[in-house]
């Protein structure tokens, strides 16, 4: 703002007393002081507000005005509440130093003047930056350049406004990553996903230990518009420090322009993925028809060559590995294409070499094994925030294969990943993942058994024991679990349960009477173990 804006309609009722020719000076802030020598606290561009308590005589006026002029002040506003009307010697001193002098009537509080200047300065900066952001959005759309970090740096430096662009799993696309902990990011994306699922109008708000944040969606490209209307699991999130609903109109427009800029960058990135999607679909079709490994190798080579154009020499050398992982995923209660979009976003921060193919409500991913290992536990943690965006029927299950050597091993890895996904589907939870280590255990067999058979098997072995526990509080089920975990060792099991061995023998005998089984036989122990696993 300029000094003359303090005399415009709507401004506090100030009177101009000196230096009318200097009213076009820019005001960057306010300093309120009654120090005799405030110069060392000035940085330049301030309007100095004073109650004139420093003045003992005409000489003081000259010294005070000279000091603030040397410190870079652009105007002086003198309050008349304490010492009465502004003295003529102060007016003369301001004329000599070409310092605009404004009188603040005794019924106008300094706080009113400070608040007015703060609003005007902030609005002017926001308007300038909004225009900058808008121009940058057009540049990003036209030229395909990234640049989100540069824009967010400008906002942080000029407006003290911290912003971040996050994926739905909490990865940082742009912004000062060191100012948000992983826990903070997790809470923000979960709050955003929950609000989107409840169809609340953005901006959404979240409060962390460090203060309030506003969350705005940056929708995916047109290719995913229909799914995004029902589920935001692949949207980027613009997180802004502060509550934008309390901001001035111009500052709110800045946030809206920034969200449009992020959406434009997201659209540009998605456009760049189109060819990779076609290659991924082609690869999946080849695997399904058990094509010649040479055909599969050509598709993998084309994908690697495309990714290598944007990689460093070190990354290119690592990319020569010929070992691959396959992920099989399925979504329940989600629109078609959503699981593919989710995995593209989740794995985008892990590797640019992932090929994500879509097939209805499911997806298949092929990615380098040694370059980017993705164990089941890592995937589970990575996708955990998405639980907040899944509705009552929404669910994502994934299976991960062991590394496959060469193109010829991908077909088997695909089948392995599908079997692992069936194991994940048999579990309880919104996001479930199973890895190849579970394919060599009884869990694989249990996953293939129909639900009604599983329930009948569990019921025949455990129903009587559970009913006895409920009626007599006998703790037989827990005893049975401990006995099997102890490999049938009476001493070790009794120690774990903190009971006498005779008490343990009595409980095991009771279980055998109720079920007609003999826990000294391996076959019966295996049956009980499987029944407990099914429970």
């Amino acid at each position: 703002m300029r000094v003359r804006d303090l005399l415009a309609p709507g401004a506090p009722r100030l009177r101009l007393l000196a230096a009318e020719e200097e009213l076009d000076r820019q005001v960057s802030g306010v300093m309120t002081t009654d120090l005799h020598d405030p110069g060392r606290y000035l940085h330049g561009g301030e309007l100095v507000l004073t109650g004139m308590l420093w003045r003992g005589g005409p000489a003081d006026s000259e010294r005070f005005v000279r000091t603030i002029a040397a410190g870079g002040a652009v105007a002086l506003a003198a309050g008349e509440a304490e010492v009465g009307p502004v003295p003529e010697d102060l007016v003369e001193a301001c004329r000599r130093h070409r310092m605009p002098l404004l009188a603040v009537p005794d019924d106008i509080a300094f706080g009113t003047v400070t608040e007015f200047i703060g609003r005007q300065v902030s609005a002017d900066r926001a308007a300038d930056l909004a225009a900058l952001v808008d121009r940058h959005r057009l540049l990003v759309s036209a030229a395909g350049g990234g640049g989100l970090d540069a824009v967010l740096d400008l906002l942080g430096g000029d407006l003290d406004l911290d912003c971040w662009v996050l994926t739905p799993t909490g990865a940082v696309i742009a912004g000062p990553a060191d100012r948000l902990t992983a826990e903070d990011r997790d809470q923000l994306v979960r709050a955003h996903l929950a609000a989107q699922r409840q169809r609340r109008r953005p901006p959404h708000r979240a409060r962390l230990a460090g203060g309030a944040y506003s969350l705005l969606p940056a929708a995916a490209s047109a290719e995913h518009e229909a799914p995004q209307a029902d589920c935001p699991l692949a949207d980027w999130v613009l997180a802004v420090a502060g509550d934008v609903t309390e901001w001035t109109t111009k500052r709110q427009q800045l946030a809206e322009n920034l969200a449009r800029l992020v959406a434009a960058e997201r659209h540009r990135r998605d456009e760049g993925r189109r060819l990779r999607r076609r290659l991924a679909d082609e690869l999946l079709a080849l695997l399904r028809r058990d094509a010649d490994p040479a055909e599969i190798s050509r598709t993998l080579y084309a994908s690697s060559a495309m990714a290598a154009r944007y990689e460093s020499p070190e990354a290119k050398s690592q990319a020569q590995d010929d070992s691959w992982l396959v992920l099989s995923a399925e979504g329940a209660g989600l629109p078609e294409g959503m699981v593919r979009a989710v995995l593209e976003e989740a794995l985008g921060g892990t590797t640019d070499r992932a090929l994500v193919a879509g097939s209805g409500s499911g997806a298949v991913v092929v990615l380098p094994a040694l370059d980017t290992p993705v164990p089941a536990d890592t995937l589970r943690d990575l996708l955990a925030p998405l639980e907040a965006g899944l509705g009552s029927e929404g669910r994502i299950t994934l299976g991960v294969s062991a590394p496959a050597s060469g193109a010829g091993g991908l077909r088997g890895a695909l089948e392995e990943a599908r079997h692992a996904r069936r194991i994940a589907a048999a579990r309880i939870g919104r996001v479930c993942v199973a890895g190849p280590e579970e394919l060599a255990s009884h869990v694989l067999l249990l996953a293939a058994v129909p639900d009604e058979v599983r329930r009948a098997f569990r019921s025949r072995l455990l129903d009587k024991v559970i009913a006895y526990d409920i009626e007599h509080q006998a703790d037989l089920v827990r005893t049975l679990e401990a006995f099997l975990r102890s490999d049938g060792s009476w001493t070790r099991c009794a120690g774990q349960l903190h009971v006498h061995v005779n008490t343990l023998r009595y409980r095991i005998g009771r279980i055998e009477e109720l079920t007609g089984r003999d826990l000294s036989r391996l076959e019966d122990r295996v049956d009980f173990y499987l029944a407990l696993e099914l429970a």
Side-chain angles (χ1 to χ4, degrees):
M1 66 170 290
R2 291 185 170 90
V3 176
R4 68 171 65 255
D5 295 331
L6 288 163
L7 303 170
R13 292 181 295 100
L14 308 184
R15 303 191 316 275
L16 178 65
L17 301 180
E20 181 177 0
E21 68 280 4
E22 300 294 338
L23 295 183
D24 284 330
R25 292 181 177 183
Q26 292 284 340
V27 180
S28 62
V30 182
M31 177 186 181
T32 302
T33 182
D34 272 307
L35 293 173
H36 285 81
D37 183 7
R40 62 183 180 276
Y41 300 111
L42 293 169
H43 301 288
E46 296 94 344
L47 176 134
V48 175
L49 268 172
T50 180
M52 299 186 291
L53 298 179
W54 44 263
R55 181 182 177 276
D60 293 333
S61 295
E62 169 63 25
R63 184 175 59 252
F64 186 84
V65 175
R66 184 174 63 248
T67 299
I68 65 171
V74 295
L76 175 63
E80 299 179 324
E82 293 290 337
V83 299
V86 177
E88 187 61 30
D89 53 85
L90 182 56
V91 175
E92 287 300 322
C94 287
R95 285 177 181 153
R96 283 193 297 273
H97 291 278
R98 303 174 65 86
M99 177 68 63
L101 175 61
L102 304 167
V104 183
D106 57 8
D107 61 337
I108 302 293
F110 279 7
T112 302
V113 178
T114 301
E115 183 180 351
F116 176 80
I117 293 174
R119 285 200 309 268
Q120 293 298 311
V121 169
S122 179
D124 287 348
R125 285 181 179 172
D128 291 342
L129 284 169
L132 172 68
V133 169
D134 205 36
R135 287 195 301 272
H136 197 89
R137 176 176 62 85
L138 296 175
L139 285 172
V140 168
S141 300
L148 285 178
D149 275 310
V151 175
L152 299 189
D153 284 347
L154 279 174
L155 293 174
D158 286 5
L159 276 186
D160 195 25
L161 179 62
D162 284 335
C163 303
W164 298 263
V165 179
L166 307 175
T167 70
T169 55
V172 178
I173 300 292
D178 57 330
R179 298 188 190 177
L180 272 185
T181 66
E183 182 181 354
D184 288 341
R185 298 197 304 270
D186 182 82
Q187 291 184 51
L188 289 176
V189 295
R190 285 178 183 269
H192 172 74
L193 290 170
Q196 288 283 79
R197 178 171 55 81
Q198 296 162 10
R199 300 184 181 277
R200 299 209 302 266
R201 185 182 180 86
H204 311 307
R205 291 181 291 279
R207 180 163 291 279
L208 306 182
Y213 292 81
S214 298
L215 308 166
L216 297 93
S221 65
E223 182 174 337
H224 297 302
E225 276 180 6
Q228 297 311 114
D230 296 321
C231 186
L233 298 180
D235 277 356
W236 283 356
V237 184
L238 173 61
V240 182
D243 186 346
V244 302
T245 62
E246 298 177 354
W247 291 359
T248 64
T249 301
K250 287 185 178 180
R251 199 172 171 101
Q252 287 181 10
Q253 288 172 352
L254 171 62
E256 293 167 3
N257 284 346
L258 184 57
R260 285 195 289 269
L261 168 62
V262 174
E265 174 67 7
R266 172 65 189 275
H267 179 74
R268 183 199 66 78
R269 199 286 314 273
D270 283 352
E271 286 294 312
R273 280 182 172 173
R274 285 183 181 274
L275 181 54
R276 292 193 63 77
R277 292 189 185 111
R278 288 200 292 271
L279 286 173
D281 289 339
E282 178 183 335
L283 177 61
L284 181 57
L286 291 173
L287 293 177
R288 282 175 170 168
R289 65 180 175 87
D290 202 13
D292 186 274
E295 289 187 75
I296 298 173
S297 291
R298 283 194 290 272
T299 303
L300 290 173
Y301 177 80
S303 168
S304 296
M306 184 187 308
R309 288 186 301 172
Y310 308 102
E311 292 179 338
S312 64
E314 294 78 8
K316 289 180 182 178
S317 65
Q318 293 175 359
Q320 302 305 313
D321 175 60
D322 198 25
S323 184
W324 305 87
L325 286 178
V326 178
L327 278 59
S328 177
E330 191 71 26
L334 301 177
E336 288 193 6
M338 181 54 59
V339 173
R340 178 184 196 166
V342 164
L343 290 178
E344 281 182 334
E345 283 308 315
L347 297 174
T350 306
T351 176
D352 289 330
R353 295 177 173 271
L355 285 172
V356 186
S359 178
S361 61
V364 172
V365 184
V366 177
L367 70 165
L370 298 183
D371 186 27
T372 310
V374 183
D377 288 344
T378 301
L379 263 180
R380 189 181 300 109
D381 294 341
L382 186 66
L383 299 176
L386 300 178
E387 295 174 351
L390 294 168
S392 57
E393 302 299 323
R395 193 163 188 251
I396 298 176
T397 54
L398 295 99
V400 185
S401 76
S405 179
L410 283 179
R411 174 67 186 175
L414 176 58
E415 289 303 315
E416 192 174 79
R418 286 172 171 166
H419 285 305
R421 196 205 64 77
R422 293 190 189 102
I423 293 174
R427 293 173 174 161
I428 298 173
R430 295 289 181 85
V431 177
C432 297
V433 184
E437 66 280 355
E438 299 177 72
L439 296 177
S441 75
H442 63 282
V443 179
L444 175 60
L445 298 176
L446 295 180
V449 176
D451 287 345
E452 60 271 17
V453 176
R454 292 153 60 96
R455 284 193 293 269
F457 180 79
R458 182 177 65 236
S459 177
R460 277 199 299 272
L461 264 79
L462 295 181
D463 275 5
K464 289 183 179 179
V465 179
I466 293 172
Y468 189 90
D469 267 355
I470 292 173
E471 183 177 354
H472 300 284
Q473 305 296 311
D475 216 11
L476 296 185
V477 172
R478 190 167 74 91
T479 300
L480 176 60
E481 290 175 336
F483 186 72
L484 296 175
R485 282 198 307 270
S486 302
D487 299 324
S489 168
W490 297 98
T491 304
R492 195 158 68 247
C493 181
Q496 289 178 7
L497 294 174
H498 304 291
V499 299
H500 194 275
V501 171
N502 289 339
T503 302
L504 176 61
R505 290 185 184 277
Y506 170 79
R507 291 181 182 178
I508 295 299
R510 201 80 186 102
I511 292 171
E512 291 174 335
E513 289 176 12
L514 291 168
T515 61
R517 299 297 187 106
D518 182 358
L519 278 164
S520 66
R521 298 177 66 246
L522 177 62
E523 295 90 337
D524 286 342
R525 287 187 188 181
V526 169
D527 284 349
F528 275 121
Y529 178 79
L530 294 176
L532 289 168
E533 284 287 292
L534 291 172

